[in-house]
């Protein structure tokens, strides 16, 4: 119980610190670009037009809503984090795999990954309604709406307009992304630790293995990012907010239609990076009273 409380407190602190970053990322994912491109340099030193990055976007939000505006949607996100941590911990404690295996073996990795997958999936399903409300609280910035103003009022609004299914908009791609990311990360880390790291040679084997886990986790998150993007877009699509309606997005019947549309436009990585943001293909912006194509 003490460990769970510690995890909740730590997770809540990290959630508060990272919330402005997530807020801006969600607005970019939806396609909200209120600021014109600026002339900058890419990684190779070449002058190019780039969309404003994290700090310029944050200043824009502060100018409109003040510093507190960077924390829109924080309350439901904290609820999701707290409940998710508790559910994840409880499921891990109760779930077990009958097949025993030697620690470090492939079977052991499969067993532990399966347990983690079950725990994460349960936590995701239980907390997804709060995730949906969080995203909608954020996207309200685009149309200056006040439809989702609090956790309880938002729950009533979603249920009244969309029923139970409204709380689970975008759940399937989110679950698929989480599961794929977990398995890719753990399987790649196992392959690297087994075949690329020699325990008898290195004196820092444990540190190297931890590093490989972090690297494979980053790689897995990059590979599965399209699932995150599609899930977030479906959570706000056609919910009555400007950010979920044309021109920001068509009305998608299913998440597969959303995936197909983004793929055709070449926008599967939209919002993945908040730095060195290149101009999307086909978009037009005003730059110094001229049109830049």
């Amino acid at each position: 119980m003490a460990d769970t409380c510690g995890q909740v407190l730590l997770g809540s602190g990290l959630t508060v610190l990272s919330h402005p970053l997530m807020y801006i990322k969600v607005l970019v994912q939806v396609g909200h670009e209120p600021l014109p491109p600026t002339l900058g340099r890419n990684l190779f030193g070449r002058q190019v037009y780039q969309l404003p990055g994290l700090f310029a976007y944050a200043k824009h939000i502060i100018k409109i809503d003040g510093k507190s505006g960077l924390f829109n949607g924080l309350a439901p996100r904290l609820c999701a984090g707290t409940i998710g941590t508790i559910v994840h911990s409880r499921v891990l404690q109760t779930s077990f795999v009958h097949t025993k295996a030697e620690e470090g073996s492939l079977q052991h990795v499969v067993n532990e990954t399966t347990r983690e997958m079950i725990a994460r999936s349960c936590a995701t399903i239980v907390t997804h309604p709060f995730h949906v409300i969080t995203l909608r609280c954020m996207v309200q910035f685009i149309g200056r709406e006040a439809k989702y103003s609090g956790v309880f009022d938002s729950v009533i609004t979603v249920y009244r307009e969309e029923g139970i299914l409204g709380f689970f908009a975008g759940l399937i791609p989110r679950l698929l992304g989480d599961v794929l990311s977990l398995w890719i990360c753990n399987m790649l880390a196992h392959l690297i630790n087994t075949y690329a790291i020699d325990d008898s040679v290195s004196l820092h084997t444990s540190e190297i293995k931890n590093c490989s886990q972090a690297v494979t986790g980053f790689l897995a998150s990059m590979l599965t990012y399209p699932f995150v993007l599609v899930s977030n877009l479906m959570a706000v699509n056609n919910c009555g907010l400007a950010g979920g309606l044309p021109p920001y997005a068509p009305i998608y019947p299913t998440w597969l239609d959303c995936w197909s549309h983004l793929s055709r436009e070449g926008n599967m990585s939209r919002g993945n990076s908040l730095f060195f943001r290149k101009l999307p293909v086909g978009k037009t912006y005003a730059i110094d009273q001229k049109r830049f194509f």
Side-chain angles (χ1 to χ4, degrees):
M1 185 64 182
D3 290 341
T4 302
C5 291
Q7 292 174 6
V8 169
L9 291 175
L10 178 60
S12 298
L14 293 176
T15 296
V16 173
L17 292 175
S18 65
H19 192 78
L21 176 64
M22 179 188 174
Y23 185 23
I24 295 171
K25 180 182 282 288
V26 168
L27 293 179
V28 173
Q29 287 175 338
V30 173
H32 185 53
E33 297 293 350
L35 302 174
T38 57
L39 189 63
R41 295 185 182 275
N42 60 16
L43 293 174
F44 303 100
R46 178 186 173 188
Q47 279 195 333
V48 293
Y49 278 104
Q50 299 173 339
L51 290 172
L54 171 66
F55 300 110
Y57 213 125
K59 289 181 181 178
H60 172 72
I61 294 174
I62 293 172
K63 182 179 180 180
I64 296 176
D65 288 340
K67 293 181 179 179
S68 62
L70 291 172
F71 296 92
N72 287 335
L74 177 60
R77 191 178 174 211
L78 285 173
C79 291
T82 300
I83 296 173
T85 300
I86 296 173
V87 172
H88 181 272
S89 177
R90 292 296 176 86
V91 174
L92 275 183
Q93 291 172 6
T94 57
S95 65
F96 61 92
V97 181
H98 294 287
T99 306
K100 294 184 178 180
E102 181 183 354
E103 186 173 354
S105 65
L106 177 59
Q107 186 61 54
H108 180 264
V109 174
V110 171
N111 292 346
E112 291 302 309
T113 304
T114 301
R115 290 180 66 244
E116 180 66 20
M117 177 186 68
I118 295 172
R120 284 195 189 184
S121 297
C122 290
T124 297
I125 293 171
V126 171
T127 61
H128 193 74
F130 295 102
H131 180 68
V132 170
I133 293 172
T134 297
L135 295 175
R136 294 183 182 185
C137 287
M138 293 175 171
V139 171
Q140 285 184 139
F141 175 82
I142 298 173
R144 310 306 299 159
E145 298 107 336
K147 187 175 181 180
Y148 299 92
S149 56
V151 177
F152 296 107
D153 289 341
S154 298
V155 169
I156 294 172
T157 300
V158 174
Y159 182 75
R160 183 177 63 244
E161 296 185 358
E162 303 171 59
I164 294 295
L165 292 180
F167 293 108
F168 299 97
L171 174 62
I172 294 178
R174 188 182 178 200
L175 274 177
L176 289 174
D178 284 348
V179 170
L180 286 174
S181 178
L182 177 63
W183 280 97
I184 291 172
C185 172
N186 287 359
M187 290 297 104
L188 282 178
H190 173 71
L191 290 175
I192 293 173
N193 294 339
T194 303
Y195 300 106
I197 300 176
D198 190 345
D199 294 351
S200 62
V201 175
S202 177
L203 297 176
H204 306 282
T205 302
S206 60
E207 290 84 352
I208 296 175
K209 288 185 177 181
N210 289 335
C211 182
S212 69
Q213 188 79 26
V215 171
T216 55
F218 175 76
L219 178 61
S221 66
M222 294 289 288
L223 293 175
T224 57
Y225 178 77
F227 289 96
V228 177
L229 175 61
V230 171
S231 173
N232 288 351
L233 292 182
M234 290 304 297
V236 301
N237 191 249
N238 197 25
C239 67
L241 299 177
L245 297 169
Y248 290 98
I251 305 302
Y252 301 117
T254 68
W255 70 272
L256 292 174
D257 296 297
C258 178
W259 184 291
S260 177
H261 179 257
L262 292 174
S263 182
R264 286 197 306 269
E265 288 192 336
N267 283 329
M268 295 302 286
S269 62
R270 187 170 67 195
N272 195 16
S273 172
L274 296 179
F275 301 95
F276 303 107
R277 299 173 56 222
K278 64 180 182 180
L279 298 180
V281 177
K283 296 291 183 179
T284 305
Y285 297 90
I287 303 176
D288 295 331
Q289 299 180 348
K290 295 181 181 180
R291 303 301 288 177
F292 178 84
F293 299 88

